[in-house]
Amino acid sequence: MSDAAIAATLRGMQSCYGNPSSLYEIGQIAKEELERARAQIAACLGAQPREITFTSGGSEADNQAILSAAALGAKRGKKHIVSTAFEHHAVLHTLKKLEKQGYEITLLDVHENGIVLPEEVAAAIREDTCLVSVMYANNEIGTIQPIREIGQICRERGVLFHTDAVQAVGHIPVDVVEDHIDLLSLSAHKFHGPKGIGVLYARKGVLLTSLIEGGAQERGKRAGTENLPAILGMAAALKESCDKMSAVAARLLPLRERLIAGLSAIPYSELNGDRERRLPSNVNFCFEGIEGESLLLLLDDRGVSASSGSACTSGSLDPSHVLLAIGRPHEVAHGSLRLSIGEDITEEEVDKIVRAVREVVEYLRGMSPFWRDLTEGKRKHLFAE
Ligand SMILES: *Cc1c(COP(=O)(O)O)cnc(C)c1O
């Protein structure tokens, strides 16, 4: 967490302990803080304060956005939803649930570069489409989607548009009005804020369905006493991330390029996702003849905290659905490495990471029967040397 976010969270714990729903003075002070945070977050997105609903994070916001749009669609006999094959599981599993309830789901191809084509979104929209949901930036391979074009298409066709912007907000410019977004999810811990807090933006007039019944908090759309310390921490983190966004991006880009160049020099390796249209902090590679899990454990020993696929699926042995969606075969999808560089990383640290990955990859290949088959020509290489 950033210092600003920690300070704001502490303030929420120490000096605004009142319940924002109570009428006594300390409650009203807490209420003012809550509304100030809401206005600050809205301003960062180009939204109105009343369009901001606090949730427990990105997953809840994704669930509520999709279930709300689905409920609105059902009222008008529209039960078709368009999304993509490489969404976060908070989106994909919610769509699976709707499919069992009789909705029809079209998952668009994301192609080899991990980018959705707006014309394919347009072609997938039907008379009975009630929602298009396309993520702003992918959480594994960092590719940035043509959100503004997709938003424009949806607006023209009268279809609600949701974007899971958890990876984008605080990192690249996002404006709900200019991007024609009806529903947007974000999560504080992806921009140096606290965990367990997020936002669902819903454009004025888009009626939300509550997932949690109870009191009248959040205009009746999300019951339960607000997590004020986390909300204040999130608002402070977002303000800071948005203020220094362009400076951080300018600093990270050459370092990201240095990391990509260093890892590309390892034989039989390939970058995953579009080279240019990706988050300034994201690097994702596949290495032939490597088991992702051993790679991560050995890198951890050398002080590199990497992941293979997403943090949410690290416990499972299935290859990443994102890498399969961009056409990587199972055997290389298993050998993937995802690195997210922080804004304070140095050139020396990048070089240290490249050295560590190179050595660990060589070591693991040295004891892999699969790699021996490749070098002896019993199997064909998938990547160029
Ligand atoms: C992290 C993430 C989520 C889930 O957010 P939580 O706050 O952990 O629930 C959803 N979508 C994307 C793209 C993410 O990166």
Side-chain angles (χ1 to χ4, degrees), residues 71-140:
L72 288 170
K75 276 193 207 149
R76 297 158 60 210
K78 299 185 173 202
K79 296 181 82 173
H80 175 240
I81 298 174
V82 177
S83 189
T84 79
F86 76 163
E87 296 295 312
H88 190 275
H89 284 133
V91 168
L92 288 178
H93 291 174
T94 306
L95 294 176
K96 263 265 165 298
K97 183 157 100 177
L98 286 172
E99 200 168 33
K100 289 199 188 110
Q101 296 170 9
Y103 287 79
E104 213 183 311
I105 314 293
T106 301
L107 295 184
L108 297 173
D109 191 4
V110 294
H111 308 278
E112 246 175 66
N113 63 351
I115 295 181
V116 179
L117 291 173
E119 55 267 34
E120 293 184 355
V121 175
I125 294 175
R126 315 189 309 211
E127 272 307 301
D128 62 341
T129 304
C130 60
L131 172 70
V132 169
S133 178
V134 176
M135 67 199 318
Y136 214 114
N138 183 269
N139 50 309
E140 292 186 30

Coordinates of all heavy atoms in Angstrom, one line a residue, residues 71-140:
A71 N -30.6 -9.0 -15.5 CA -31.9 -8.9 -14.9 C -32.7 -7.8 -15.8 O -33.9 -8.0 -16.1 CB -31.9 -8.5 -13.5
L72 N -32.0 -6.7 -16.1 CA -32.7 -5.7 -16.9 C -33.0 -6.3 -18.3 O -34.1 -6.0 -18.8 CB -31.7 -4.5 -17.1 CG -31.5 -3.6 -15.9 CD1 -30.4 -2.6 -16.1 CD2 -32.8 -2.9 -15.5
G73 N -32.1 -7.1 -18.9 CA -32.4 -7.7 -20.2 C -33.6 -8.7 -20.1 O -34.4 -8.6 -21.0
A74 N -33.6 -9.5 -19.1 CA -34.7 -10.5 -19.0 C -36.1 -9.8 -19.0 O -37.0 -10.4 -19.5 CB -34.5 -11.3 -17.7
K75 N -36.1 -8.6 -18.3 CA -37.4 -7.9 -18.3 C -37.9 -7.6 -19.7 O -39.1 -7.4 -19.9 CB -37.3 -6.6 -17.5 CG -37.4 -6.8 -16.0 CD -37.5 -5.4 -15.3 CE -37.0 -5.5 -13.9 NZ -36.5 -4.2 -13.5
R76 N -37.0 -7.4 -20.6 CA -37.4 -7.0 -22.0 C -37.2 -8.2 -23.0 O -37.2 -8.0 -24.2 CB -36.5 -5.9 -22.5 CG -36.7 -4.6 -21.6 CD -35.6 -3.6 -21.7 NE -35.3 -3.2 -23.0 CZ -34.2 -2.8 -23.5 NH1 -33.1 -2.9 -22.7 NH2 -34.0 -2.4 -24.8
G77 N -37.1 -9.4 -22.4 CA -37.0 -10.6 -23.2 C -35.7 -10.8 -23.9 O -35.5 -11.5 -24.9
K78 N -34.6 -10.1 -23.4 CA -33.3 -10.1 -24.1 C -32.4 -10.9 -23.2 O -32.0 -10.5 -22.1 CB -32.7 -8.7 -24.3 CG -33.6 -7.9 -25.2 CD -33.0 -6.5 -25.5 CE -33.8 -5.8 -26.5 NZ -33.1 -4.8 -27.2
K79 N -31.9 -12.1 -23.7 CA -31.1 -12.9 -22.8 C -29.8 -13.4 -23.5 O -29.4 -14.6 -23.4 CB -32.0 -14.1 -22.3 CG -33.1 -13.6 -21.4 CD -33.9 -14.8 -20.9 CE -33.3 -15.4 -19.7 NZ -34.2 -16.5 -19.0
H80 N -29.3 -12.5 -24.3 CA -28.0 -12.8 -25.0 C -26.9 -11.9 -24.5 O -27.1 -10.7 -24.4 CB -28.2 -12.7 -26.5 CG -26.9 -12.9 -27.3 ND1 -26.4 -12.0 -28.1 CD2 -26.0 -14.0 -27.3 CE1 -25.2 -12.4 -28.6 NE2 -25.0 -13.7 -28.2
I81 N -25.7 -12.4 -24.2 CA -24.6 -11.6 -23.7 C -23.4 -11.9 -24.5 O -23.1 -13.0 -24.8 CB -24.4 -11.9 -22.2 CG1 -25.6 -11.6 -21.3 CG2 -23.1 -11.2 -21.6 CD1 -25.5 -12.0 -19.9
V82 N -22.6 -10.8 -24.8 CA -21.4 -10.9 -25.6 C -20.2 -10.6 -24.6 O -20.3 -9.6 -23.9 CB -21.4 -10.0 -26.8 CG1 -20.0 -10.0 -27.5 CG2 -22.5 -10.3 -27.7
S83 N -19.2 -11.5 -24.6 CA -18.0 -11.2 -23.8 C -16.8 -11.8 -24.5 O -16.9 -12.1 -25.7 CB -18.2 -11.8 -22.4 OG -17.2 -11.4 -21.5
T84 N -15.7 -12.0 -23.8 CA -14.5 -12.6 -24.5 C -14.0 -13.8 -23.7 O -14.4 -14.0 -22.6 CB -13.4 -11.6 -24.6 OG1 -12.7 -11.5 -23.3 CG2 -13.9 -10.2 -24.9
A85 N -13.2 -14.6 -24.4 CA -12.7 -15.8 -23.9 C -11.7 -15.6 -22.8 O -11.4 -16.6 -22.0 CB -12.1 -16.7 -25.0
F86 N -11.1 -14.4 -22.7 CA -10.0 -14.3 -21.7 C -10.3 -13.3 -20.5 O -9.4 -12.8 -19.9 CB -8.7 -13.9 -22.4 CG -8.5 -12.5 -22.9 CD1 -7.2 -12.1 -23.2 CD2 -9.6 -11.6 -23.0 CE1 -7.0 -10.8 -23.6 CE2 -9.4 -10.4 -23.5 CZ -8.1 -9.9 -23.8
E87 N -11.6 -13.2 -20.2 CA -12.0 -12.4 -19.1 C -11.5 -13.0 -17.8 O -11.2 -14.2 -17.7 CB -13.6 -12.3 -19.0 CG -14.2 -11.6 -20.2 CD -13.8 -10.1 -20.3 OE1 -13.9 -9.4 -19.3 OE2 -13.4 -9.7 -21.4
H88 N -11.6 -12.3 -16.7 CA -11.3 -12.8 -15.4 C -12.4 -13.7 -15.0 O -13.5 -13.6 -15.5 CB -11.3 -11.6 -14.4 CG -10.8 -11.9 -13.0 ND1 -11.6 -12.4 -12.1 CD2 -9.6 -11.8 -12.5 CE1 -10.9 -12.6 -10.9 NE2 -9.7 -12.2 -11.2
H89 N -12.1 -14.7 -14.1 CA -13.1 -15.7 -13.7 C -14.3 -15.1 -13.0 O -15.4 -15.7 -13.0 CB -12.4 -16.8 -12.9 CG -11.6 -17.7 -13.7 ND1 -10.4 -18.1 -13.4 CD2 -11.9 -18.3 -14.9 CE1 -9.9 -19.0 -14.3 NE2 -10.8 -19.1 -15.3
A90 N -14.1 -13.9 -12.4 CA -15.3 -13.2 -11.8 C -16.3 -12.9 -12.8 O -17.5 -12.9 -12.6 CB -14.8 -11.9 -11.1
V91 N -15.9 -12.7 -14.1 CA -16.8 -12.5 -15.2 C -17.2 -13.8 -15.8 O -18.4 -14.1 -15.9 CB -16.2 -11.6 -16.3 CG1 -17.0 -11.6 -17.6 CG2 -16.0 -10.2 -15.7
L92 N -16.3 -14.7 -16.1 CA -16.6 -15.9 -16.8 C -17.5 -16.9 -16.0 O -18.4 -17.4 -16.5 CB -15.3 -16.7 -17.2 CG -14.5 -16.0 -18.3 CD1 -13.2 -16.8 -18.6 CD2 -15.3 -15.9 -19.6
H93 N -17.2 -17.0 -14.7 CA -18.0 -17.8 -13.9 C -19.4 -17.3 -13.7 O -20.4 -18.0 -13.6 CB -17.3 -18.1 -12.5 CG -16.1 -19.0 -12.6 ND1 -15.2 -19.2 -11.6 CD2 -15.5 -19.6 -13.7 CE1 -14.2 -20.0 -12.0 NE2 -14.4 -20.2 -13.3
T94 N -19.6 -16.0 -13.6 CA -20.9 -15.4 -13.5 C -21.7 -15.6 -14.8 O -22.9 -16.0 -14.8 CB -20.8 -13.8 -13.3 OG1 -20.0 -13.6 -12.1 CG2 -22.1 -13.2 -13.0
L95 N -21.0 -15.6 -16.0 CA -21.6 -15.9 -17.2 C -22.1 -17.3 -17.3 O -23.1 -17.7 -17.8 CB -20.7 -15.5 -18.4 CG -20.4 -14.0 -18.6 CD1 -19.4 -13.8 -19.7 CD2 -21.7 -13.2 -18.8
K96 N -21.2 -18.2 -16.8 CA -21.5 -19.7 -16.7 C -22.8 -19.9 -15.9 O -23.7 -20.7 -16.3 CB -20.4 -20.4 -16.0 CG -19.4 -21.1 -17.0 CD -19.8 -22.5 -17.3 CE -19.1 -23.1 -18.5 NZ -19.3 -22.5 -19.8
K97 N -22.9 -19.2 -14.8 CA -24.1 -19.3 -14.0 C -25.4 -18.8 -14.8 O -26.4 -19.5 -14.7 CB -23.9 -18.4 -12.7 CG -25.0 -18.5 -11.7 CD -24.5 -18.1 -10.3 CE -24.9 -16.6 -10.0 NZ -24.4 -16.2 -8.7
L98 N -25.2 -17.7 -15.5 CA -26.4 -17.2 -16.3 C -26.7 -18.2 -17.4 O -27.9 -18.4 -17.7 CB -26.0 -15.8 -16.9 CG -26.0 -14.7 -15.8 CD1 -25.5 -13.4 -16.5 CD2 -27.4 -14.5 -15.3
E99 N -25.7 -18.8 -18.0 CA -26.0 -19.8 -19.0 C -26.9 -20.9 -18.5 O -27.8 -21.3 -19.2 CB -24.6 -20.4 -19.5 CG -24.7 -21.0 -20.9 CD -23.3 -21.3 -21.5 OE1 -22.4 -21.6 -20.7 OE2 -23.1 -21.2 -22.7
K100 N -26.6 -21.4 -17.3 CA -27.4 -22.4 -16.7 C -28.9 -21.9 -16.5 O -29.8 -22.7 -16.4 CB -26.8 -22.9 -15.4 CG -25.6 -23.7 -15.6 CD -25.2 -24.5 -14.3 CE -23.8 -25.1 -14.5 NZ -22.9 -24.5 -13.6
Q101 N -29.0 -20.6 -16.4 CA -30.4 -20.0 -16.2 C -31.1 -19.7 -17.5 O -32.1 -19.0 -17.5 CB -30.3 -18.8 -15.3 CG -29.8 -19.1 -13.9 CD -29.5 -17.8 -13.1 OE1 -29.8 -16.7 -13.5 NE2 -28.8 -18.0 -11.9
G102 N -30.5 -20.1 -18.6 CA -31.2 -19.9 -19.9 C -30.7 -18.7 -20.7 O -31.2 -18.4 -21.7
Y103 N -29.6 -18.1 -20.3 CA -29.0 -17.0 -21.1 C -28.1 -17.6 -22.1 O -27.6 -18.7 -21.9 CB -28.2 -16.0 -20.2 CG -29.1 -15.1 -19.4 CD1 -29.6 -15.6 -18.2 CD2 -29.3 -13.8 -19.8 CE1 -30.4 -14.8 -17.4 CE2 -30.1 -13.0 -19.0 CZ -30.7 -13.5 -17.8 OH -31.4 -12.6 -17.0
E104 N -28.0 -16.9 -23.2 CA -27.0 -17.4 -24.3 C -25.8 -16.5 -24.2 O -25.9 -15.3 -24.2 CB -27.7 -17.3 -25.6 CG -27.3 -18.4 -26.6 CD -28.0 -18.3 -27.9 OE1 -29.2 -18.0 -27.9 OE2 -27.3 -18.3 -28.9
I105 N -24.6 -17.2 -24.2 CA -23.4 -16.4 -24.1 C -22.5 -16.6 -25.3 O -22.3 -17.7 -25.7 CB -22.6 -16.9 -22.8 CG1 -23.4 -17.1 -21.6 CG2 -21.4 -16.0 -22.6 CD1 -24.0 -15.8 -21.0
T106 N -22.1 -15.5 -25.9 CA -21.1 -15.5 -27.0 C -19.8 -15.0 -26.5 O -19.7 -13.9 -26.1 CB -21.6 -14.7 -28.2 OG1 -22.9 -15.1 -28.6 CG2 -20.6 -14.7 -29.4
L107 N -18.7 -15.9 -26.5 CA -17.4 -15.5 -26.1 C -16.6 -15.2 -27.4 O -16.3 -16.1 -28.2 CB -16.7 -16.5 -25.2 CG -17.4 -16.8 -23.9 CD1 -16.6 -17.8 -23.1 CD2 -17.6 -15.5 -23.1
L108 N -16.1 -13.9 -27.5 CA -15.4 -13.6 -28.7 C -13.9 -14.0 -28.6 O -13.3 -14.1 -27.5 CB -15.4 -12.0 -28.9 CG -16.8 -11.4 -29.1 CD1 -16.7 -9.9 -29.1 CD2 -17.3 -11.9 -30.5
D109 N -13.3 -14.3 -29.8 CA -11.9 -14.6 -29.9 C -11.1 -13.4 -29.6 O -11.5 -12.3 -29.9 CB -11.7 -15.0 -31.4 CG -10.4 -15.7 -31.6 OD1 -9.6 -15.9 -30.7 OD2 -10.1 -15.9 -32.8
V110 N -9.9 -13.6 -29.0 CA -9.0 -12.5 -28.7 C -7.8 -12.5 -29.5 O -6.9 -11.7 -29.3 CB -8.7 -12.4 -27.2 CG1 -9.9 -12.1 -26.3 CG2 -8.0 -13.7 -26.7
H111 N -7.7 -13.5 -30.5 CA -6.7 -13.5 -31.4 C -5.3 -13.7 -30.8 O -5.1 -13.7 -29.6 CB -6.7 -12.3 -32.3 CG -8.1 -12.1 -32.9 ND1 -8.5 -12.8 -34.0 CD2 -9.1 -11.3 -32.5 CE1 -9.7 -12.4 -34.3 NE2 -10.1 -11.5 -33.4
E112 N -4.3 -13.9 -31.7 CA -2.9 -14.2 -31.2 C -2.3 -13.1 -30.4 O -1.5 -13.3 -29.5 CB -2.0 -14.4 -32.4 CG -1.5 -15.8 -32.6 CD -0.8 -16.0 -33.9 OE1 0.3 -15.4 -34.0 OE2 -1.3 -16.7 -34.8
N113 N -2.7 -11.8 -30.7 CA -2.1 -10.7 -29.9 C -2.9 -10.4 -28.7 O -2.5 -9.4 -27.9 CB -2.0 -9.5 -30.8 CG -3.3 -9.0 -31.3 OD1 -4.3 -9.6 -31.1 ND2 -3.3 -7.8 -31.9
G114 N -4.0 -11.1 -28.4 CA -4.7 -10.8 -27.1 C -5.5 -9.5 -27.2 O -5.7 -8.9 -26.2
I115 N -6.1 -9.2 -28.4 CA -6.9 -8.0 -28.5 C -8.2 -8.3 -29.3 O -8.2 -9.0 -30.3 CB -6.1 -6.9 -29.2 CG1 -4.9 -6.5 -28.2 CG2 -6.9 -5.6 -29.5 CD1 -4.0 -5.4 -28.7
V116 N -9.3 -7.8 -28.7 CA -10.6 -8.0 -29.3 C -10.8 -7.0 -30.5 O -10.4 -5.9 -30.4 CB -11.7 -7.7 -28.3 CG1 -13.1 -7.9 -28.8 CG2 -11.5 -8.6 -27.0
L117 N -11.4 -7.5 -31.5 CA -11.7 -6.5 -32.7 C -13.1 -5.9 -32.5 O -14.1 -6.6 -32.4 CB -11.6 -7.3 -34.0 CG -10.2 -7.8 -34.4 CD1 -10.3 -8.7 -35.6 CD2 -9.3 -6.6 -34.6
P118 N -13.1 -4.6 -32.5 CA -14.5 -3.9 -32.4 C -15.5 -4.4 -33.4 O -16.6 -4.6 -33.1 CB -14.1 -2.4 -32.6 CG -12.7 -2.3 -32.3 CD -12.0 -3.6 -32.6
E119 N -15.0 -4.7 -34.7 CA -16.0 -5.1 -35.7 C -16.5 -6.5 -35.4 O -17.7 -6.8 -35.7 CB -15.4 -5.1 -37.1 CG -14.1 -5.9 -37.3 CD -12.8 -5.0 -37.1 OE1 -12.8 -4.1 -36.3 OE2 -11.8 -5.3 -37.8
E120 N -15.8 -7.3 -34.6 CA -16.3 -8.6 -34.2 C -17.3 -8.4 -33.1 O -18.3 -9.2 -33.0 CB -15.2 -9.6 -33.8 CG -14.4 -9.9 -35.1 CD -13.3 -10.9 -34.9 OE1 -13.0 -11.3 -33.7 OE2 -12.6 -11.3 -35.9
V121 N -17.1 -7.4 -32.2 CA -18.2 -7.1 -31.2 C -19.4 -6.7 -31.9 O -20.5 -7.2 -31.6 CB -17.7 -6.0 -30.3 CG1 -18.8 -5.6 -29.3 CG2 -16.4 -6.4 -29.5
A122 N -19.3 -5.8 -32.9 CA -20.5 -5.3 -33.7 C -21.2 -6.4 -34.3 O -22.5 -6.5 -34.3 CB -20.0 -4.3 -34.7
A123 N -20.5 -7.4 -34.9 CA -21.1 -8.5 -35.6 C -21.8 -9.5 -34.7 O -22.7 -10.2 -35.0 CB -20.1 -9.2 -36.4
A124 N -21.3 -9.5 -33.4 CA -21.9 -10.5 -32.4 C -23.2 -10.0 -31.8 O -24.0 -10.7 -31.2 CB -20.9 -10.8 -31.4
I125 N -23.4 -8.6 -31.8 CA -24.6 -8.1 -31.2 C -25.9 -8.4 -32.0 O -25.9 -8.3 -33.2 CB -24.5 -6.5 -31.1 CG1 -23.3 -6.2 -30.1 CG2 -25.8 -5.9 -30.6 CD1 -23.0 -4.7 -30.0
R126 N -26.9 -8.9 -31.3 CA -28.1 -9.3 -31.9 C -29.3 -8.5 -31.3 O -29.1 -7.7 -30.4 CB -28.4 -10.8 -31.6 CG -27.2 -11.7 -31.8 CD -27.6 -13.2 -31.7 NE -28.3 -13.6 -30.5 CZ -28.2 -14.8 -30.0 NH1 -27.4 -15.7 -30.4 NH2 -29.0 -15.1 -29.0
E127 N -30.5 -8.8 -31.9 CA -31.7 -8.1 -31.4 C -31.9 -8.3 -29.9 O -32.4 -7.5 -29.2 CB -32.9 -8.7 -32.1 CG -33.3 -7.9 -33.4 CD -33.4 -6.4 -33.2 OE1 -34.3 -6.0 -32.4 OE2 -32.6 -5.7 -33.9
D128 N -31.5 -9.6 -29.4 CA -31.8 -9.9 -28.1 C -30.6 -9.8 -27.2 O -30.5 -10.4 -26.1 CB -32.4 -11.4 -28.0 CG -31.4 -12.4 -28.5 OD1 -30.4 -12.0 -29.3 OD2 -31.5 -13.6 -28.2
T129 N -29.5 -9.0 -27.6 CA -28.4 -8.8 -26.7 C -28.7 -7.8 -25.7 O -29.1 -6.7 -26.0 CB -27.2 -8.4 -27.6 OG1 -26.9 -9.3 -28.6 CG2 -25.9 -8.3 -26.8
C130 N -28.4 -8.2 -24.4 CA -28.7 -7.2 -23.3 C -27.4 -6.6 -22.7 O -27.4 -5.6 -22.0 CB -29.5 -7.8 -22.2 SG -28.7 -9.3 -21.4
L131 N -26.2 -7.2 -23.0 CA -25.0 -6.8 -22.4 C -23.8 -7.2 -23.2 O -23.7 -8.3 -23.8 CB -24.8 -7.4 -21.0 CG -23.5 -7.2 -20.3 CD1 -23.3 -5.7 -19.9 CD2 -23.4 -8.1 -19.1
V132 N -22.8 -6.3 -23.3 CA -21.5 -6.6 -23.8 C -20.5 -6.3 -22.7 O -20.6 -5.3 -22.1 CB -21.1 -5.7 -25.1 CG1 -19.6 -5.9 -25.4 CG2 -22.0 -6.1 -26.3
S133 N -19.7 -7.3 -22.4 CA -18.7 -7.2 -21.3 C -17.3 -7.5 -21.8 O -17.0 -8.6 -22.1 CB -19.1 -8.1 -20.1 OG -18.1 -7.9 -19.1
V134 N -16.5 -6.5 -21.9 CA -15.1 -6.7 -22.4 C -14.1 -6.0 -21.4 O -14.3 -4.8 -21.1 CB -14.9 -6.1 -23.8 CG1 -13.4 -6.2 -24.2 CG2 -15.8 -6.8 -24.8
M135 N -13.1 -6.7 -20.9 CA -12.2 -6.1 -19.9 C -11.3 -5.0 -20.5 O -11.0 -5.0 -21.7 CB -11.3 -7.2 -19.3 CG -10.3 -7.9 -20.2 SD -9.7 -9.5 -19.6 CE -9.5 -9.2 -17.8
Y136 N -11.0 -4.0 -19.7 CA -10.2 -2.9 -20.2 C -8.8 -3.3 -20.6 O -8.2 -3.1 -21.6 CB -10.2 -1.8 -19.2 CG -10.2 -0.4 -19.8 CD1 -11.2 0.5 -19.6 CD2 -9.1 0.1 -20.6 CE1 -11.3 1.7 -20.2 CE2 -9.1 1.3 -21.1 CZ -10.2 2.2 -20.9 OH -10.2 3.4 -21.5
A137 N -8.1 -4.0 -19.6 CA -6.8 -4.6 -19.8 C -6.8 -6.0 -19.2 O -7.3 -6.2 -18.1 CB -5.7 -3.7 -19.2
N138 N -6.1 -6.9 -19.9 CA -6.1 -8.3 -19.4 C -5.1 -8.4 -18.2 O -4.0 -7.9 -18.2 CB -5.7 -9.2 -20.5 CG -5.8 -10.7 -20.0 OD1 -4.7 -11.2 -19.5 ND2 -6.9 -11.3 -20.0
N139 N -5.5 -9.2 -17.2 CA -4.7 -9.2 -16.0 C -3.5 -10.2 -16.1 O -2.6 -10.1 -15.3 CB -5.6 -9.7 -14.8 CG -6.4 -10.9 -15.1 OD1 -7.1 -10.9 -16.1 ND2 -6.3 -11.9 -14.2
E140 N -3.5 -11.0 -17.1 CA -2.3 -11.9 -17.2 C -1.3 -11.4 -18.3 O -0.1 -11.4 -18.0 CB -2.8 -13.3 -17.6 CG -3.5 -14.0 -16.5 CD -3.8 -15.4 -16.7 OE1 -3.1 -16.1 -17.5 OE2 -4.9 -15.9 -16.2

